[in-house]
Amino acid sequence: MKSKMVDCVNRFHVAVPKPRDNKERPVFIPPAVLEARANAAAKEKKKLEKDLEQENGGAGVYSASIKKHYILANDEWKEDILPEILDGHNVADFLDPDILERCEELEREEGLRLEEQAAQDAFGIDGHELTDEQKEILSQIRNKKALLIQEHRMKKRTAESRPIVPRKFDKDRKFTTNRMGRQLSSMGVDPSAAIARSRSRGRKRERSLSRAAADADAMDVDGQQSNKKLRLGSRSRSRSRAPEEVPGEGFKDSAQKKKAIKKAKDARKKRNNDARRGEADRVIPTLKPKHLFSGKRTLGKTSRR
């Protein structure tokens, strides 16, 4: 080993700087770093559960306390034992079993109070208080709006399972001239002109429908006569000529089509005899099925029954 070191020493060069003057230049460490090091050295290491376990008997003896994680006003209360009897009284007698229900009831009352306050605030418009009559009218309008919204939602919910029926076939007959007249009268508008206009439109529509029906009947009569003539002509032609194969599907004539059909039948015959399901099926039969040959002892073989 020494010989190896001697052989290697002559290969290294250690540079030693020469001092340029007699001034000392020590290592500079910032004061913040020195302070942090001092605090880290003085600070106690946080004890982990593993350290506590080793201090209190080790595994199987030490039991971790869950109470130390409680968030209380005073940390000294964490390990206190809840008493069942205090000053001769049962502590459970002073606990309300319905405390949750009472809290929910208070929350509901608070919600109702807030809704009433919001309703009262809603009656004020631009900072002006409404009169009793105006409040009543406003409440009627809002109730009517809520009913319309609810009715629309019901119709929308059942629209998929309900056929669309024209208004004139509506059984409820909600949209009538009488209803329109009553609504216009309640609004202070004379409904006579609107009712007359709607009735005149209805008469015009009835006249146009009757004319269209008459034209359709006339066309049906003409069409029936022409169809009757065509049927008679086709019957006479069918009696004179025998039916034949209609050429098509890329064939030149009916004879070529018959020949192609016969070839297709001949091609299927062999495959049907082999009981194959299609052209690409490969049938590999079981020449010696085990359920037929096992247990049959032949000459010179007794290995299996």
Side-chain angles (χ1 to χ4, degrees):
M1 188 69 182
K2 289 183 179 180
S3 61
K4 288 184 179 180
M5 288 294 295
V6 171
D7 294 338
C8 294
V9 166
N10 58 357
R11 300 180 185 180
F12 294 102
H13 172 71
V14 180
V16 179
K18 293 181 180 181
R20 59 186 178 182
D21 51 19
N22 296 327
K23 187 177 180 180
E24 294 184 0
R25 294 179 176 85
V27 178
F28 175 74
I29 300 175
V33 176
L34 294 174
E35 186 179 357
R37 288 181 181 178
N39 293 335
K43 188 177 180 181
E44 294 182 0
K45 184 181 178 182
K46 183 180 179 181
K47 284 190 177 182
L48 304 177
E49 287 291 335
K50 188 175 182 181
D51 301 333
L52 295 174
E53 182 183 1
Q54 292 176 358
E55 292 176 1
N56 296 286
V61 179
Y62 172 74
S63 178
S65 176
I66 304 175
K67 295 181 180 180
K68 62 184 178 182
H69 299 295
Y70 288 172
I71 301 174
L72 301 176
N74 190 354
D75 292 339
E76 296 178 356
W77 299 345
K78 290 183 178 180
E79 300 296 334
D80 291 349
I81 299 173
L82 294 176
E84 296 182 1
I85 303 296
L86 183 65
D87 297 335
H89 299 282
N90 190 359
V91 177
D93 294 339
F94 296 91
L95 298 177
D96 191 356
D98 301 332
I99 186 67
L100 296 177
E101 296 180 2
R102 292 179 182 275
C103 289
E104 291 178 358
E105 187 176 354
L106 288 174
E107 289 178 358
R108 285 196 297 270
E109 290 180 0
E110 185 67 21
L112 293 174
R113 191 178 296 109
L114 291 174
E115 289 179 0
E116 291 178 0
Q117 185 66 27
Q120 291 178 1
D121 295 341
F123 282 117
I125 299 175
D126 296 335
H128 300 288
E129 189 70 22
L130 298 178
T131 61
D132 295 338
E133 185 178 357
Q134 291 175 344
K135 289 181 180 179
E136 186 178 357
I137 294 172
L138 183 59
S139 62
Q140 290 178 0
I141 292 171
R142 288 178 177 173
N143 292 335
K144 181 69 174 178
K145 184 179 179 181
L147 289 174
L148 290 174
I149 292 172
Q150 187 177 3
E151 185 178 357
H152 173 69
R153 287 176 180 172
M154 291 292 294
K155 287 183 178 180
K156 189 176 181 181
R157 192 180 299 121
T158 59
E160 297 179 357
S161 60
R162 184 184 61 184
I164 299 173
V165 182
R167 185 177 294 175
K168 62 180 180 179
F169 298 119
D170 191 5
K171 293 182 180 179
D172 297 337
R173 306 294 292 176
K174 292 183 178 180
F175 303 97
T176 59
T177 54
N178 295 330
R179 179 185 174 185
M180 181 179 66
R182 288 196 301 271
Q183 289 182 350
L184 292 175
S185 299
S186 63
M187 295 169 61
V189 180
D190 186 12
S192 57
I195 293 173
R197 186 165 57 251
S198 63
R199 287 176 179 172
S200 63
R201 287 179 181 175
R203 293 192 190 97
K204 290 179 182 178
R205 193 181 301 112
E206 289 177 0
R207 290 196 204 99
S208 61
L209 289 174
S210 61
R211 289 174 186 170
D215 295 341
D217 293 339
M219 291 176 66
D220 290 340
V221 171
D222 296 339
Q224 288 176 2
Q225 292 178 357
S226 60
N227 290 335
K228 189 174 181 181
K229 291 179 181 178
L230 289 173
R231 283 198 298 272
L232 292 173
S234 62
R235 285 177 186 173
S236 61
R237 286 195 299 272
S238 62
R239 291 194 194 98
S240 60
R241 289 185 298 177
E244 62 178 6
E245 294 289 337
V246 179
E249 301 177 2
F251 299 110
K252 182 174 64 176
D253 52 6
S254 58
Q256 190 178 15
K257 187 174 182 180
K258 288 180 181 179
K259 190 174 181 181
I261 292 172
K262 186 175 183 303
K263 283 188 175 182
K265 288 182 179 179
D266 294 341
R268 288 196 297 268
K269 189 181 294 182
K270 186 176 184 301
R271 187 170 67 245
N272 292 339
N273 291 336
D274 293 339
R276 296 183 179 180
R277 286 185 293 273
E279 297 176 358
D281 285 355
R282 298 290 180 268
V283 178
I284 302 175
T286 305
L287 300 179
K288 293 184 69 175
K290 186 175 180 180
H291 71 282
L292 294 177
F293 289 90
S294 62
K296 282 73 176 174
R297 300 175 63 183
T298 58
L299 292 175
K301 184 176 181 182
T302 59
S303 62
R304 195 168 64 231
R305 293 179 182 272

